[in-house]
Amino acid sequence: MAQAKEFNLPDDLYYDRKEHIWARLEQDGVRAGVDAFGACAAGTVAYVKLSPVGRHVQKGRAFGSMEAGKYVGPLKAPVSGTIAAVNQEVLGNPGLLNVDHYERGWLVVISPSNLRGDIADLVHGPDVQPWLETDVAEYEQKGMLKKEEERQCT
Amino acid sequence: MHVRLLDLGTVPYLESQTIYHAVAHAMDDDTPNTISLLSPDRPYICIGYHQELEKEIDLEYCLSQRLPVLRREVGGGAVYLDGGQLFVHLIFHRENLPRRVEEMYKVLIGPLVETYRALGIDAYHRPLNDILVGDRKIGGTGIAAVGQAMVVVGSLMFDFDSETMARALNVSSEKMRDKIYQSLRDYMTTMKRELGRRPPREKVKSILIRKLREALEVELEPGHLTYKESKTVEALNRRFLSPRWLRLKGGLPRRGILIRGGVRVAEAEHKAPGGLIRVTARLQEDVIEDLTLSGDCTFHPQHLLEGLEVALRERHLDGAELTAAIDAFYRSHGVQSPGLSPGDLAAAVLRLRDSPAP
């Protein structure tokens, strides 16, 4: 488990550096969701919209969107492929993105079309810790993260 | 570091939305961070990205009044927009803004608050994203990630037409509409209301530009749309008017109509053995500020219904508290309501907690 400040990122997952989307390689496909850092940055998620099962998605393109505090942002696919499953529970309870990032808060499962190529630039394993530390430090240096004691994220 | 300033004055209503979207969509590594200032040439209604047109808007009314409706890519609810507002859009590279939404709002809201203060209006930022004067909201804000850009939008409010705003919303009853209108009047304010007159637009704009420059610690360089951005505006003009875009499916849950952060108007119904009871209320968090009861139940003596409404003001949406208050009112006034128990009334009021958009 990689950890920086209050953010926990399991290092067995793969991460999109910019979007803070996680990907877990499973037998049936690639499960994806928003990591702890991304969810904290957005704030309390009020709504999630996801593309339907069967829709083809391209790596780096939106497979859905989320809204939090009048902020709307795209959810970008970590790999290309076809959406094989959509988390109905999170559609009904989008707050799961804030409290259970890696289990009940998953968003979609994608049947990948180019897995090896697509995961090459995702962060994984021992690279997760230094990447997370750098990312958090960068935002702190810019004054973009509140002090730890003021935070409400878990 | 410098930021491009697009000081565009009054623009066609459609472009008051598509210009900032276009700058964001067309943004590449060479695009400067940009601020646009503009107002629409006519009134319109603008719904949030995740809203559904028919659920939110009284389309028949809008059509009859020739009041156009647009969908933006920014979140939030339906709003009435017109020339009484000066729109301010920050269209920045994502890495030049804070990561956290809460912090991003501060980048724009700070200068907006300072502008009001320079005009003698005691405005302040109430997180997450409200600007208030006392307990009244003045202007709105929102954020969207669009392409490479992060867009932070807000407005300075010279004047506001609460009546048209309340009229254009799709609501379940006229009681609800009346309460929304009254709540907008009670909980929104404008520069005109605070100062007794509309301050000169150029003066306000010039203060805002100074406050933006000071807060961002950048030079604002007057600029214009590039050819690529202008072509994107044209493309977005077509897209924003297309039925497909306007009628995108959404489902942003709303527990009533949000007037400002913490204040909402909601309506709920409960079927009691004696008939239907409907509750329309204005809530501050979970406290009832104002409440109207209606329906087809028998309530005797009828004139005491208003007294019960008053007795429920300042009560929390709490089952035990409500039942006790209604019980006490029934006992002290000898109320008779066959098939409608105090428990039924409490249940109806409690449904306000989770009432969806009417």
Side-chain angles (χ1 to χ4, degrees), chain B residues 6-30:
Chain B
L6 300 174
D7 182 3
L8 301 172
T10 298
V11 303
Y13 82 93
L14 176 58
E15 296 188 356
S16 71
Q17 288 299 320
T18 55
I19 286 172
Y20 73 88
H21 283 90
V23 173
H25 278 289
M27 181 172 266
D28 57 33
D29 291 347
D30 297 327

mmCIF file with all atom_site columns, all heavy atoms in Angstrom, chain B residues 6-30:
data_model
loop_
_atom_site.group_PDB
_atom_site.id
_atom_site.type_symbol
_atom_site.label_atom_id
_atom_site.label_alt_id
_atom_site.label_comp_id
_atom_site.label_asym_id
_atom_site.label_entity_id
_atom_site.label_seq_id
_atom_site.pdbx_PDB_ins_code
_atom_site.Cartn_x
_atom_site.Cartn_y
_atom_site.Cartn_z
_atom_site.occupancy
_atom_site.B_iso_or_equiv
_atom_site.pdbx_formal_charge
_atom_site.auth_seq_id
_atom_site.auth_comp_id
_atom_site.auth_asym_id
_atom_site.auth_atom_id
_atom_site.pdbx_PDB_model_num
ATOM 1   N N   . LEU B 1 6  ? -10.295 38.356 -22.363 1.00 0.00 ? 6  LEU B N   1
ATOM 2   C CA  . LEU B 1 6  ? -11.284 38.546 -23.426 1.00 0.00 ? 6  LEU B CA  1
ATOM 3   C C   . LEU B 1 6  ? -12.416 39.385 -22.845 1.00 0.00 ? 6  LEU B C   1
ATOM 4   O O   . LEU B 1 6  ? -13.297 38.863 -22.153 1.00 0.00 ? 6  LEU B O   1
ATOM 5   C CB  . LEU B 1 6  ? -11.824 37.201 -23.915 1.00 0.00 ? 6  LEU B CB  1
ATOM 6   C CG  . LEU B 1 6  ? -10.810 36.221 -24.496 1.00 0.00 ? 6  LEU B CG  1
ATOM 7   C CD1 . LEU B 1 6  ? -11.470 34.881 -24.808 1.00 0.00 ? 6  LEU B CD1 1
ATOM 8   C CD2 . LEU B 1 6  ? -10.163 36.794 -25.751 1.00 0.00 ? 6  LEU B CD2 1
ATOM 9   N N   . ASP B 1 7  ? -12.341 40.680 -23.073 1.00 0.00 ? 7  ASP B N   1
ATOM 10  C CA  . ASP B 1 7  ? -13.360 41.591 -22.559 1.00 0.00 ? 7  ASP B CA  1
ATOM 11  C C   . ASP B 1 7  ? -14.360 41.808 -23.690 1.00 0.00 ? 7  ASP B C   1
ATOM 12  O O   . ASP B 1 7  ? -14.176 42.662 -24.550 1.00 0.00 ? 7  ASP B O   1
ATOM 13  C CB  . ASP B 1 7  ? -12.679 42.908 -22.144 1.00 0.00 ? 7  ASP B CB  1
ATOM 14  C CG  . ASP B 1 7  ? -13.678 43.882 -21.546 1.00 0.00 ? 7  ASP B CG  1
ATOM 15  O OD1 . ASP B 1 7  ? -14.868 43.521 -21.402 1.00 0.00 ? 7  ASP B OD1 1
ATOM 16  O OD2 . ASP B 1 7  ? -13.269 45.009 -21.225 1.00 0.00 ? 7  ASP B OD2 1
ATOM 17  N N   . LEU B 1 8  ? -15.425 41.019 -23.686 1.00 0.00 ? 8  LEU B N   1
ATOM 18  C CA  . LEU B 1 8  ? -16.255 40.895 -24.880 1.00 0.00 ? 8  LEU B CA  1
ATOM 19  C C   . LEU B 1 8  ? -17.555 41.683 -24.820 1.00 0.00 ? 8  LEU B C   1
ATOM 20  O O   . LEU B 1 8  ? -18.355 41.627 -25.758 1.00 0.00 ? 8  LEU B O   1
ATOM 21  C CB  . LEU B 1 8  ? -16.557 39.405 -25.136 1.00 0.00 ? 8  LEU B CB  1
ATOM 22  C CG  . LEU B 1 8  ? -15.292 38.551 -25.335 1.00 0.00 ? 8  LEU B CG  1
ATOM 23  C CD1 . LEU B 1 8  ? -15.634 37.073 -25.387 1.00 0.00 ? 8  LEU B CD1 1
ATOM 24  C CD2 . LEU B 1 8  ? -14.554 38.951 -26.604 1.00 0.00 ? 8  LEU B CD2 1
ATOM 25  N N   . GLY B 1 9  ? -17.798 42.385 -23.725 1.00 0.00 ? 9  GLY B N   1
ATOM 26  C CA  . GLY B 1 9  ? -19.012 43.213 -23.659 1.00 0.00 ? 9  GLY B CA  1
ATOM 27  C C   . GLY B 1 9  ? -20.264 42.361 -23.707 1.00 0.00 ? 9  GLY B C   1
ATOM 28  O O   . GLY B 1 9  ? -20.366 41.333 -23.051 1.00 0.00 ? 9  GLY B O   1
ATOM 29  N N   . THR B 1 10 ? -21.203 42.790 -24.552 1.00 0.00 ? 10 THR B N   1
ATOM 30  C CA  . THR B 1 10 ? -22.457 42.049 -24.704 1.00 0.00 ? 10 THR B CA  1
ATOM 31  C C   . THR B 1 10 ? -22.372 41.171 -25.951 1.00 0.00 ? 10 THR B C   1
ATOM 32  O O   . THR B 1 10 ? -21.975 41.645 -27.016 1.00 0.00 ? 10 THR B O   1
ATOM 33  C CB  . THR B 1 10 ? -23.642 43.030 -24.826 1.00 0.00 ? 10 THR B CB  1
ATOM 34  O OG1 . THR B 1 10 ? -23.706 43.793 -23.612 1.00 0.00 ? 10 THR B OG1 1
ATOM 35  C CG2 . THR B 1 10 ? -24.955 42.281 -25.010 1.00 0.00 ? 10 THR B CG2 1
ATOM 36  N N   . VAL B 1 11 ? -22.718 39.917 -25.798 1.00 0.00 ? 11 VAL B N   1
ATOM 37  C CA  . VAL B 1 11 ? -22.623 38.963 -26.915 1.00 0.00 ? 11 VAL B CA  1
ATOM 38  C C   . VAL B 1 11 ? -23.973 38.269 -27.084 1.00 0.00 ? 11 VAL B C   1
ATOM 39  O O   . VAL B 1 11 ? -24.804 38.271 -26.162 1.00 0.00 ? 11 VAL B O   1
ATOM 40  C CB  . VAL B 1 11 ? -21.525 37.903 -26.655 1.00 0.00 ? 11 VAL B CB  1
ATOM 41  C CG1 . VAL B 1 11 ? -20.169 38.555 -26.419 1.00 0.00 ? 11 VAL B CG1 1
ATOM 42  C CG2 . VAL B 1 11 ? -21.890 37.010 -25.479 1.00 0.00 ? 11 VAL B CG2 1
ATOM 43  N N   . PRO B 1 12 ? -24.226 37.655 -28.256 1.00 0.00 ? 12 PRO B N   1
ATOM 44  C CA  . PRO B 1 12 ? -25.463 36.883 -28.411 1.00 0.00 ? 12 PRO B CA  1
ATOM 45  C C   . PRO B 1 12 ? -25.583 35.841 -27.293 1.00 0.00 ? 12 PRO B C   1
ATOM 46  O O   . PRO B 1 12 ? -24.571 35.251 -26.884 1.00 0.00 ? 12 PRO B O   1
ATOM 47  C CB  . PRO B 1 12 ? -25.287 36.212 -29.780 1.00 0.00 ? 12 PRO B CB  1
ATOM 48  C CG  . PRO B 1 12 ? -24.343 37.110 -30.515 1.00 0.00 ? 12 PRO B CG  1
ATOM 49  C CD  . PRO B 1 12 ? -23.410 37.658 -29.481 1.00 0.00 ? 12 PRO B CD  1
ATOM 50  N N   . TYR B 1 13 ? -26.802 35.644 -26.823 1.00 0.00 ? 13 TYR B N   1
ATOM 51  C CA  . TYR B 1 13 ? -26.983 34.786 -25.635 1.00 0.00 ? 13 TYR B CA  1
ATOM 52  C C   . TYR B 1 13 ? -26.316 33.427 -25.806 1.00 0.00 ? 13 TYR B C   1
ATOM 53  O O   . TYR B 1 13 ? -25.708 32.903 -24.864 1.00 0.00 ? 13 TYR B O   1
ATOM 54  C CB  . TYR B 1 13 ? -28.482 34.620 -25.321 1.00 0.00 ? 13 TYR B CB  1
ATOM 55  C CG  . TYR B 1 13 ? -29.170 33.560 -26.144 1.00 0.00 ? 13 TYR B CG  1
ATOM 56  C CD1 . TYR B 1 13 ? -29.286 32.260 -25.653 1.00 0.00 ? 13 TYR B CD1 1
ATOM 57  C CD2 . TYR B 1 13 ? -29.659 33.825 -27.413 1.00 0.00 ? 13 TYR B CD2 1
ATOM 58  C CE1 . TYR B 1 13 ? -29.883 31.265 -26.409 1.00 0.00 ? 13 TYR B CE1 1
ATOM 59  C CE2 . TYR B 1 13 ? -30.258 32.843 -28.172 1.00 0.00 ? 13 TYR B CE2 1
ATOM 60  C CZ  . TYR B 1 13 ? -30.366 31.562 -27.671 1.00 0.00 ? 13 TYR B CZ  1
ATOM 61  O OH  . TYR B 1 13 ? -30.940 30.580 -28.417 1.00 0.00 ? 13 TYR B OH  1
ATOM 62  N N   . LEU B 1 14 ? -26.430 32.859 -26.990 1.00 0.00 ? 14 LEU B N   1
ATOM 63  C CA  . LEU B 1 14 ? -25.859 31.523 -27.220 1.00 0.00 ? 14 LEU B CA  1
ATOM 64  C C   . LEU B 1 14 ? -24.346 31.548 -27.010 1.00 0.00 ? 14 LEU B C   1
ATOM 65  O O   . LEU B 1 14 ? -23.765 30.641 -26.390 1.00 0.00 ? 14 LEU B O   1
ATOM 66  C CB  . LEU B 1 14 ? -26.201 31.081 -28.655 1.00 0.00 ? 14 LEU B CB  1
ATOM 67  C CG  . LEU B 1 14 ? -25.627 29.759 -29.142 1.00 0.00 ? 14 LEU B CG  1
ATOM 68  C CD1 . LEU B 1 14 ? -26.064 28.602 -28.249 1.00 0.00 ? 14 LEU B CD1 1
ATOM 69  C CD2 . LEU B 1 14 ? -26.076 29.487 -30.590 1.00 0.00 ? 14 LEU B CD2 1
ATOM 70  N N   . GLU B 1 15 ? -23.721 32.597 -27.500 1.00 0.00 ? 15 GLU B N   1
ATOM 71  C CA  . GLU B 1 15 ? -22.259 32.677 -27.384 1.00 0.00 ? 15 GLU B CA  1
ATOM 72  C C   . GLU B 1 15 ? -21.803 33.035 -25.970 1.00 0.00 ? 15 GLU B C   1
ATOM 73  O O   . GLU B 1 15 ? -20.632 32.843 -25.628 1.00 0.00 ? 15 GLU B O   1
ATOM 74  C CB  . GLU B 1 15 ? -21.716 33.659 -28.427 1.00 0.00 ? 15 GLU B CB  1
ATOM 75  C CG  . GLU B 1 15 ? -21.983 33.136 -29.832 1.00 0.00 ? 15 GLU B CG  1
ATOM 76  C CD  . GLU B 1 15 ? -21.322 33.923 -30.946 1.00 0.00 ? 15 GLU B CD  1
ATOM 77  O OE1 . GLU B 1 15 ? -20.685 34.954 -30.649 1.00 0.00 ? 15 GLU B OE1 1
ATOM 78  O OE2 . GLU B 1 15 ? -21.453 33.500 -32.092 1.00 0.00 ? 15 GLU B OE2 1
ATOM 79  N N   . SER B 1 16 ? -22.737 33.520 -25.160 1.00 0.00 ? 16 SER B N   1
ATOM 80  C CA  . SER B 1 16 ? -22.352 33.752 -23.758 1.00 0.00 ? 16 SER B CA  1
ATOM 81  C C   . SER B 1 16 ? -22.040 32.420 -23.076 1.00 0.00 ? 16 SER B C   1
ATOM 82  O O   . SER B 1 16 ? -21.386 32.386 -22.032 1.00 0.00 ? 16 SER B O   1
ATOM 83  C CB  . SER B 1 16 ? -23.447 34.512 -23.001 1.00 0.00 ? 16 SER B CB  1
ATOM 84  O OG  . SER B 1 16 ? -24.583 33.697 -22.783 1.00 0.00 ? 16 SER B OG  1
ATOM 85  N N   . GLN B 1 17 ? -22.496 31.329 -23.655 1.00 0.00 ? 17 GLN B N   1
ATOM 86  C CA  . GLN B 1 17 ? -22.113 29.997 -23.171 1.00 0.00 ? 17 GLN B CA  1
ATOM 87  C C   . GLN B 1 17 ? -21.025 29.363 -24.041 1.00 0.00 ? 17 GLN B C   1
ATOM 88  O O   . GLN B 1 17 ? -20.077 28.769 -23.532 1.00 0.00 ? 17 GLN B O   1
ATOM 89  C CB  . GLN B 1 17 ? -23.342 29.062 -23.152 1.00 0.00 ? 17 GLN B CB  1
ATOM 90  C CG  . GLN B 1 17 ? -24.346 29.385 -22.048 1.00 0.00 ? 17 GLN B CG  1
ATOM 91  C CD  . GLN B 1 17 ? -23.747 29.255 -20.656 1.00 0.00 ? 17 GLN B CD  1
ATOM 92  O OE1 . GLN B 1 17 ? -22.982 28.340 -20.380 1.00 0.00 ? 17 GLN B OE1 1
ATOM 93  N NE2 . GLN B 1 17 ? -24.100 30.173 -19.759 1.00 0.00 ? 17 GLN B NE2 1
ATOM 94  N N   . THR B 1 18 ? -21.172 29.492 -25.350 1.00 0.00 ? 18 THR B N   1
ATOM 95  C CA  . THR B 1 18 ? -20.278 28.716 -26.223 1.00 0.00 ? 18 THR B CA  1
ATOM 96  C C   . THR B 1 18 ? -18.855 29.295 -26.282 1.00 0.00 ? 18 THR B C   1
ATOM 97  O O   . THR B 1 18 ? -17.907 28.542 -26.530 1.00 0.00 ? 18 THR B O   1
ATOM 98  C CB  . THR B 1 18 ? -20.838 28.604 -27.659 1.00 0.00 ? 18 THR B CB  1
ATOM 99  O OG1 . THR B 1 18 ? -21.088 29.915 -28.176 1.00 0.00 ? 18 THR B OG1 1
ATOM 100 C CG2 . THR B 1 18 ? -22.126 27.790 -27.655 1.00 0.00 ? 18 THR B CG2 1
ATOM 101 N N   . ILE B 1 19 ? -18.693 30.580 -26.029 1.00 0.00 ? 19 ILE B N   1
ATOM 102 C CA  . ILE B 1 19 ? -17.340 31.154 -26.128 1.00 0.00 ? 19 ILE B CA  1
ATOM 103 C C   . ILE B 1 19 ? -16.398 30.524 -25.099 1.00 0.00 ? 19 ILE B C   1
ATOM 104 O O   . ILE B 1 19 ? -15.314 30.048 -25.442 1.00 0.00 ? 19 ILE B O   1
ATOM 105 C CB  . ILE B 1 19 ? -17.373 32.693 -25.991 1.00 0.00 ? 19 ILE B CB  1
ATOM 106 C CG1 . ILE B 1 19 ? -17.940 33.324 -27.273 1.00 0.00 ? 19 ILE B CG1 1
ATOM 107 C CG2 . ILE B 1 19 ? -15.968 33.243 -25.710 1.00 0.00 ? 19 ILE B CG2 1
ATOM 108 C CD1 . ILE B 1 19 ? -18.196 34.815 -27.187 1.00 0.00 ? 19 ILE B CD1 1
ATOM 109 N N   . TYR B 1 20 ? -16.809 30.472 -23.860 1.00 0.00 ? 20 TYR B N   1
ATOM 110 C CA  . TYR B 1 20 ? -15.862 29.925 -22.864 1.00 0.00 ? 20 TYR B CA  1
ATOM 111 C C   . TYR B 1 20 ? -15.696 28.427 -23.033 1.00 0.00 ? 20 TYR B C   1
ATOM 112 O O   . TYR B 1 20 ? -14.609 27.880 -22.789 1.00 0.00 ? 20 TYR B O   1
ATOM 113 C CB  . TYR B 1 20 ? -16.242 30.323 -21.441 1.00 0.00 ? 20 TYR B CB  1
ATOM 114 C CG  . TYR B 1 20 ? -17.437 29.648 -20.816 1.00 0.00 ? 20 TYR B CG  1
ATOM 115 C CD1 . TYR B 1 20 ? -17.308 28.439 -20.129 1.00 0.00 ? 20 TYR B CD1 1
ATOM 116 C CD2 . TYR B 1 20 ? -18.701 30.233 -20.861 1.00 0.00 ? 20 TYR B CD2 1
ATOM 117 C CE1 . TYR B 1 20 ? -18.402 27.836 -19.518 1.00 0.00 ? 20 TYR B CE1 1
ATOM 118 C CE2 . TYR B 1 20 ? -19.786 29.635 -20.258 1.00 0.00 ? 20 TYR B CE2 1
ATOM 119 C CZ  . TYR B 1 20 ? -19.644 28.436 -19.597 1.00 0.00 ? 20 TYR B CZ  1
ATOM 120 O OH  . TYR B 1 20 ? -20.725 27.838 -18.996 1.00 0.00 ? 20 TYR B OH  1
ATOM 121 N N   . HIS B 1 21 ? -16.785 27.768 -23.446 1.00 0.00 ? 21 HIS B N   1
ATOM 122 C CA  . HIS B 1 21 ? -16.638 26.336 -23.745 1.00 0.00 ? 21 HIS B CA  1
ATOM 123 C C   . HIS B 1 21 ? -15.650 26.136 -24.908 1.00 0.00 ? 21 HIS B C   1
ATOM 124 O O   . HIS B 1 21 ? -14.838 25.204 -24.892 1.00 0.00 ? 21 HIS B O   1
ATOM 125 C CB  . HIS B 1 21 ? -17.981 25.721 -24.133 1.00 0.00 ? 21 HIS B CB  1
ATOM 126 C CG  . HIS B 1 21 ? -18.891 25.450 -22.975 1.00 0.00 ? 21 HIS B CG  1
ATOM 127 N ND1 . HIS B 1 21 ? -19.800 26.378 -22.501 1.00 0.00 ? 21 HIS B ND1 1
ATOM 128 C CD2 . HIS B 1 21 ? -19.041 24.361 -22.177 1.00 0.00 ? 21 HIS B CD2 1
ATOM 129 C CE1 . HIS B 1 21 ? -20.470 25.849 -21.474 1.00 0.00 ? 21 HIS B CE1 1
ATOM 130 N NE2 . HIS B 1 21 ? -20.025 24.630 -21.259 1.00 0.00 ? 21 HIS B NE2 1
ATOM 131 N N   . ALA B 1 22 ? -15.740 27.002 -25.902 1.00 0.00 ? 22 ALA B N   1
ATOM 132 C CA  . ALA B 1 22 ? -14.883 26.854 -27.087 1.00 0.00 ? 22 ALA B CA  1
ATOM 133 C C   . ALA B 1 22 ? -13.413 27.077 -26.735 1.00 0.00 ? 22 ALA B C   1
ATOM 134 O O   . ALA B 1 22 ? -12.544 26.342 -27.212 1.00 0.00 ? 22 ALA B O   1
ATOM 135 C CB  . ALA B 1 22 ? -15.322 27.840 -28.172 1.00 0.00 ? 22 ALA B CB  1
ATOM 136 N N   . VAL B 1 23 ? -13.148 28.081 -25.926 1.00 0.00 ? 23 VAL B N   1
ATOM 137 C CA  . VAL B 1 23 ? -11.753 28.322 -25.524 1.00 0.00 ? 23 VAL B CA  1
ATOM 138 C C   . VAL B 1 23 ? -11.208 27.080 -24.817 1.00 0.00 ? 23 VAL B C   1
ATOM 139 O O   . VAL B 1 23 ? -10.067 26.657 -25.035 1.00 0.00 ? 23 VAL B O   1
ATOM 140 C CB  . VAL B 1 23 ? -11.652 29.570 -24.612 1.00 0.00 ? 23 VAL B CB  1
ATOM 141 C CG1 . VAL B 1 23 ? -10.237 29.731 -24.062 1.00 0.00 ? 23 VAL B CG1 1
ATOM 142 C CG2 . VAL B 1 23 ? -12.068 30.829 -25.377 1.00 0.00 ? 23 VAL B CG2 1
ATOM 143 N N   . ALA B 1 24 ? -12.049 26.467 -23.987 1.00 0.00 ? 24 ALA B N   1
ATOM 144 C CA  . ALA B 1 24 ? -11.622 25.266 -23.262 1.00 0.00 ? 24 ALA B CA  1
ATOM 145 C C   . ALA B 1 24 ? -11.415 24.095 -24.213 1.00 0.00 ? 24 ALA B C   1
ATOM 146 O O   . ALA B 1 24 ? -10.398 23.400 -24.159 1.00 0.00 ? 24 ALA B O   1
ATOM 147 C CB  . ALA B 1 24 ? -12.647 24.912 -22.192 1.00 0.00 ? 24 ALA B CB  1
ATOM 148 N N   . HIS B 1 25 ? -12.387 23.859 -25.076 1.00 0.00 ? 25 HIS B N   1
ATOM 149 C CA  . HIS B 1 25 ? -12.283 22.719 -26.000 1.00 0.00 ? 25 HIS B CA  1
ATOM 150 C C   . HIS B 1 25 ? -11.098 22.881 -26.943 1.00 0.00 ? 25 HIS B C   1
ATOM 151 O O   . HIS B 1 25 ? -10.476 21.891 -27.343 1.00 0.00 ? 25 HIS B O   1
ATOM 152 C CB  . HIS B 1 25 ? -13.571 22.578 -26.815 1.00 0.00 ? 25 HIS B CB  1
ATOM 153 C CG  . HIS B 1 25 ? -14.669 21.857 -26.086 1.00 0.00 ? 25 HIS B CG  1
ATOM 154 N ND1 . HIS B 1 25 ? -14.630 20.512 -25.836 1.00 0.00 ? 25 HIS B ND1 1
ATOM 155 C CD2 . HIS B 1 25 ? -15.824 22.306 -25.548 1.00 0.00 ? 25 HIS B CD2 1
ATOM 156 C CE1 . HIS B 1 25 ? -15.724 20.154 -25.170 1.00 0.00 ? 25 HIS B CE1 1
ATOM 157 N NE2 . HIS B 1 25 ? -16.462 21.232 -24.978 1.00 0.00 ? 25 HIS B NE2 1
ATOM 158 N N   . ALA B 1 26 ? -10.814 24.119 -27.339 1.00 0.00 ? 26 ALA B N   1
ATOM 159 C CA  . ALA B 1 26 ? -9.741  24.351 -28.319 1.00 0.00 ? 26 ALA B CA  1
ATOM 160 C C   . ALA B 1 26 ? -8.374  24.476 -27.648 1.00 0.00 ? 26 ALA B C   1
ATOM 161 O O   . ALA B 1 26 ? -7.356  24.620 -28.338 1.00 0.00 ? 26 ALA B O   1
ATOM 162 C CB  . ALA B 1 26 ? -10.047 25.626 -29.120 1.00 0.00 ? 26 ALA B CB  1
ATOM 163 N N   . MET B 1 27 ? -8.345  24.433 -26.340 1.00 0.00 ? 27 MET B N   1
ATOM 164 C CA  . MET B 1 27 ? -7.077  24.682 -25.637 1.00 0.00 ? 27 MET B CA  1
ATOM 165 C C   . MET B 1 27 ? -6.013  23.639 -25.983 1.00 0.00 ? 27 MET B C   1
ATOM 166 O O   . MET B 1 27 ? -6.275  22.442 -25.991 1.00 0.00 ? 27 MET B O   1
ATOM 167 C CB  . MET B 1 27 ? -7.309  24.699 -24.124 1.00 0.00 ? 27 MET B CB  1
ATOM 168 C CG  . MET B 1 27 ? -6.051  24.967 -23.323 1.00 0.00 ? 27 MET B CG  1
ATOM 169 S SD  . MET B 1 27 ? -6.407  25.207 -21.567 1.00 0.00 ? 27 MET B SD  1
ATOM 170 C CE  . MET B 1 27 ? -6.534  26.985 -21.479 1.00 0.00 ? 27 MET B CE  1
ATOM 171 N N   . ASP B 1 28 ? -4.835  24.118 -26.309 1.00 0.00 ? 28 ASP B N   1
ATOM 172 C CA  . ASP B 1 28 ? -3.678  23.234 -26.462 1.00 0.00 ? 28 ASP B CA  1
ATOM 173 C C   . ASP B 1 28 ? -2.533  23.816 -25.638 1.00 0.00 ? 28 ASP B C   1
ATOM 174 O O   . ASP B 1 28 ? -2.715  24.812 -24.925 1.00 0.00 ? 28 ASP B O   1
ATOM 175 C CB  . ASP B 1 28 ? -3.304  23.038 -27.937 1.00 0.00 ? 28 ASP B CB  1
ATOM 176 C CG  . ASP B 1 28 ? -3.021  24.359 -28.645 1.00 0.00 ? 28 ASP B CG  1
ATOM 177 O OD1 . ASP B 1 28 ? -2.502  25.289 -27.977 1.00 0.00 ? 28 ASP B OD1 1
ATOM 178 O OD2 . ASP B 1 28 ? -3.311  24.477 -29.852 1.00 0.00 ? 28 ASP B OD2 1
ATOM 179 N N   . ASP B 1 29 ? -1.374  23.229 -25.769 1.00 0.00 ? 29 ASP B N   1
ATOM 180 C CA  . ASP B 1 29 ? -0.255  23.647 -24.916 1.00 0.00 ? 29 ASP B CA  1
ATOM 181 C C   . ASP B 1 29 ? 0.107   25.118 -25.112 1.00 0.00 ? 29 ASP B C   1
ATOM 182 O O   . ASP B 1 29 ? 0.673   25.761 -24.216 1.00 0.00 ? 29 ASP B O   1
ATOM 183 C CB  . ASP B 1 29 ? 0.977   22.777 -25.183 1.00 0.00 ? 29 ASP B CB  1
ATOM 184 C CG  . ASP B 1 29 ? 0.755   21.353 -24.691 1.00 0.00 ? 29 ASP B CG  1
ATOM 185 O OD1 . ASP B 1 29 ? -0.222  21.139 -23.947 1.00 0.00 ? 29 ASP B OD1 1
ATOM 186 O OD2 . ASP B 1 29 ? 1.534   20.456 -25.066 1.00 0.00 ? 29 ASP B OD2 1
ATOM 187 N N   . ASP B 1 30 ? -0.186  25.669 -26.299 1.00 0.00 ? 30 ASP B N   1
ATOM 188 C CA  . ASP B 1 30 ? 0.183   27.056 -26.597 1.00 0.00 ? 30 ASP B CA  1
ATOM 189 C C   . ASP B 1 30 ? -0.876  28.076 -26.192 1.00 0.00 ? 30 ASP B C   1
ATOM 190 O O   . ASP B 1 30 ? -0.646  29.286 -26.295 1.00 0.00 ? 30 ASP B O   1
ATOM 191 C CB  . ASP B 1 30 ? 0.465   27.203 -28.103 1.00 0.00 ? 30 ASP B CB  1
ATOM 192 C CG  . ASP B 1 30 ? 1.645   26.342 -28.527 1.00 0.00 ? 30 ASP B CG  1
ATOM 193 O OD1 . ASP B 1 30 ? 2.571   26.161 -27.704 1.00 0.00 ? 30 ASP B OD1 1
ATOM 194 O OD2 . ASP B 1 30 ? 1.630   25.825 -29.669 1.00 0.00 ? 30 ASP B OD2 1
#
